[in-house]
Amino acid sequence: ARSMFHNTLFVVLLIMGLYYGVLMARLQKINNEGENIYSRLHYLFYSALSGGFIGMAVITRTSELLWIVPMLIILWLFNIRKIGFIKLILFLSFFAFAFTPIFYWNQILYSSPVQGGYPEMNQSVINITQASSDLVKSSFSRHLVYHKELLLKLKNNIFYFGFHPSHSIEMFYHYFIKMFYWLFWPAVLGGILFLQRLRKWKRKHWAYLASYFAAFIILLFYYGSWGFHDNPDPNQFTIGNSYTRYWLLIYLGAFPFVSMFIIKASRALFLKYNSNLQIHPNVPNSYKSNNSTGYFRSLVNGHIRWPRRMFLVNCLRAAVIGLIFFISIQFVLFGSEEGLICSARKQKQAKNEFNKVLSLTEHDAVIITQYHDKLFFPERKVIVGLFNDKNMVAKYAKLANYLPVYYYNFTLSQDAIDYLNDSRLGEVGLRIVKVERIGEFGLYKLNLRNP
């Protein structure tokens, strides 16, 4: 529905890279004849694919390196012997190869291979690099106060959104516990079952839990500390707000625990089930001996053959997964203001708005708006703004000497129009006039008082 949001592409590429990373770290399998089922070339091929796909994921959304790097380091430490030196070098080489276009275009666009489009993040990268270098240099000395200053500097630059744990927990409640309750609570119960088997854990279980926990904590406090309001109403917690796409990995990482809960709970419900049930003694012998009767589906030595236990277990699992699917699709279609059905209706309304505004404005007109810049550009020149900045209002007045200038936003009351004409706009020689109301929005023209 929002094709320019690249978070989904990033997650898909990352999953592909991790998949080939798992294959890369597998031990060689020997068949009955004592031959390797997979040759060494297979593992080198998997190493290249893993590095390439993870590299493409990173160039899709480079800022996620903050948690991808710790996650990959943890996974590598748990599989350091299986991966070895050659596969690691091949992985890093193809990762760097996939990342090369980023360095190239960053140099062209921002005059530095490691600079990007976010000025705050650029400064953070510079500060983190400098602080890390100073920390390494000072590690040979014992100046504890200096270490604290450097670590504080690192924290402030890594969390350039701010660090607000209480806000992070609140957003986690709204965007996971409350929004996706049918996934969260089964994941919690599955996690409890997973922890109960602690003594039986293998290395792969520790690797998954450690890497997921590290990514979970960083994502939770990194993005959760900031306030995102993609919805015009800041009090609405909907699927279209940025938290849901930033926390995709948190949702996906919880799925194995949901699966564990479904598997264990379905087995437990039919633990004492017996597929053989004794027929009542008064049943005629003809029914007992006649296996083709329609009254009893199957008779074996006087027992009814009910469905096997695993058949019922699998039916229950399919029913639960189907329920999760239908709850999810209902939420995606109708569950919030950004539901697909709601979005389709809004898109149709926006198309009508677009055509109406174009019919009421000149081809060289400038439209001042806060929310509709992507709707009208490039058919009309657009300024994202309001009337709260006196410097911008003065520029609107200068612009009105050369081009027709319009304002499109939520409908203004007559008192608001009179106030603007008497104060903020009147001070620079402008007057706002209502052209037409279009739904809940209004189109207004900014005229010069003395053209």
Side-chain angles (χ1 to χ4, degrees):
R2 303 195 174 189
S3 57
M4 298 305 291
F5 283 176
H6 53 317
N7 305 78
T8 302
L9 174 61
F10 159 76
V11 170
V12 169
L13 292 170
L14 180 63
I15 290 174
M16 295 171 72
L18 291 175
Y19 169 74
Y20 286 111
V22 170
L23 296 182
M24 172 183 69
R26 281 183 176 174
L27 295 174
Q28 295 184 1
K29 294 184 178 181
I30 308 299
N31 61 15
N32 296 330
E33 287 75 23
E35 298 176 352
N36 288 339
I37 298 177
Y38 301 109
S39 66
R40 184 177 295 273
L41 289 177
H42 279 89
Y43 295 103
L44 297 179
F45 184 62
Y46 295 147
S47 305
L49 288 176
S50 180
F53 279 117
I54 293 178
M56 286 190 288
V58 171
I59 69 172
T60 304
R61 190 163 174 82
T62 312
S63 60
E64 308 298 346
L65 276 172
L66 184 69
W67 60 267
I68 288 180
V69 170
M71 182 185 71
L72 292 179
I73 290 175
I74 292 172
L75 292 174
W76 173 68
L77 290 174
F78 274 99
N79 297 276
I80 189 169
R81 290 185 177 180
K82 293 181 181 179
I83 294 176
F85 180 73
I86 296 177
K87 286 188 282 188
L88 177 63
I89 294 299
L90 197 62
F91 172 90
L92 295 174
S93 299
F94 274 81
F95 176 89
F97 177 74
F99 205 75
T100 304
I102 286 291
F103 293 132
Y104 174 77
W105 287 109
N106 282 351
Q107 181 65 43
I108 292 175
L109 294 172
Y110 311 112
S111 300
S112 172
V114 296
Q115 297 285 318
Y118 294 103
E120 297 88 352
M121 186 176 290
N122 292 336
Q123 188 59 46
S124 294
V125 170
I126 295 172
N127 294 339
I128 290 171
T129 304
Q130 182 179 355
S132 300
S133 176
D134 293 342
L135 187 63
V136 172
K137 292 177 182 177
S138 65
S139 62
F140 296 101
S141 62
R142 295 185 178 181
H143 300 292
L144 185 60
V145 176
Y146 186 55
H147 277 78
K148 288 183 177 180
E149 292 178 356
L150 290 175
L151 291 173
L152 182 62
K153 186 177 181 180
L154 279 171
K155 190 210 82 168
N156 292 335
N157 283 279
I158 290 174
F159 292 95
Y160 62 87
F161 287 143
F163 183 68
H164 308 290
S166 59
H167 187 267
S168 299
I169 300 301
E170 181 185 357
M171 293 302 103
F172 182 77
Y173 168 76
H174 286 295
Y175 289 96
F176 195 3
I177 300 176
K178 189 175 181 180
M179 183 175 290
F180 301 113
Y181 61 89
W182 64 93
L183 296 176
F184 175 78
W185 292 113
V188 171
L189 296 174
I192 294 173
L193 294 174
F194 184 65
L195 291 174
Q196 287 179 340
R197 298 174 58 86
L198 181 62
R199 293 182 179 180
K200 297 182 179 180
W201 283 10
K202 298 179 180 179
R203 182 181 298 176
K204 61 182 180 181
H205 299 121
W206 287 104
Y208 182 84
L209 194 64
S211 58
Y212 176 60
F213 181 76
F216 177 95
I217 292 298
I218 295 172
L219 285 168
L220 175 65
F221 292 108
Y222 184 67
Y223 290 117
S225 296
W226 188 252
F228 300 103
H229 301 296
D230 301 288
N231 191 304
D233 184 356
N235 297 317
Q236 292 292 323
F237 304 101
T238 59
I239 194 173
N241 281 338
S242 295
Y243 297 101
T244 53
R245 58 192 180 96
Y246 290 151
W247 286 346
L248 279 176
L249 186 94
I250 291 180
Y251 306 142
L252 293 174
F255 281 1
F257 302 111
V258 178
S259 301
M260 175 166 283
F261 171 72
I262 295 173
I263 291 171
K264 298 295 183 182
S266 60
R267 285 179 182 172
L269 286 175
F270 293 97
L271 189 62
K272 297 182 179 180
Y273 173 79
N274 186 0
S275 61
N276 292 325
L277 180 65
Q278 182 69 40
I279 297 177
H280 194 275
N282 294 331
V283 175
N285 290 331
S286 60
Y287 284 102
K288 293 183 180 180
S289 60
N290 185 4
N291 291 342
S292 62
T293 181
Y295 186 75
F296 296 110
R297 298 287 298 229
S298 176
L299 296 176
V300 181
N301 297 325
H303 290 73
I304 299 178
R305 177 65 68 183
W306 294 101
R308 292 184 179 275
R309 175 174 173 266
M310 283 310 299
F311 175 79
L312 296 178
V313 169
N314 289 330
C315 285
L316 178 59
R317 293 173 181 173
V320 173
I321 293 172
L323 178 63
I324 291 175
F325 169 79
F326 283 110
I327 294 175
S328 300
I329 200 68
Q330 186 275 338
F331 180 72
V332 169
L333 292 176
F334 306 101
S336 67
E337 296 178 15
E338 286 88 8
L340 295 182
I341 300 299
C342 299
S343 296
R345 291 171 181 167
K346 289 181 179 180
Q347 205 168 30
K348 186 176 181 181
Q349 294 174 0
K351 187 68 175 178
N352 294 333
E353 284 184 61
F354 171 79
N355 292 328
K356 189 68 175 178
V357 170
L358 289 192
S359 67
L360 295 171
T361 58
E362 299 84 351
H363 74 279
D364 60 343
V366 178
I367 300 177
I368 303 166
T369 182
Q370 187 176 13
Y371 305 110
H372 296 79
D373 52 311
K374 299 178 182 66
L375 182 63
F376 300 134
F377 183 83
E379 279 74 12
R380 295 291 183 268
K381 300 177 181 67
V382 177
I383 297 176
V384 179
L386 297 169
F387 298 130
N388 55 349
D389 188 337
K390 290 186 176 181
N391 292 327
M392 288 301 297
V393 172
K395 293 181 179 180
Y396 301 157
K398 291 182 179 180
L399 194 61
N401 285 286
Y402 305 97
L403 296 170
V405 180
Y406 293 85
Y407 176 76
Y408 188 75
N409 210 324
F410 290 105
T411 304
L412 299 172
S413 64
Q414 188 58 47
D415 291 340
I417 292 175
D418 294 339
Y419 170 78
L420 288 172
N421 287 331
D422 294 338
S423 58
R424 184 61 57 89
L425 298 179
E427 292 173 357
V428 294
L430 284 177
R431 180 177 180 81
I432 187 170
V433 178
K434 183 177 180 179
V435 178
E436 189 169 328
R437 178 171 180 171
I438 305 172
E440 59 181 329
F441 298 96
L443 179 66
Y444 304 87
K445 188 169 185 182
L446 301 183
N447 294 321
L448 293 170
R449 289 180 180 270
N450 298 307

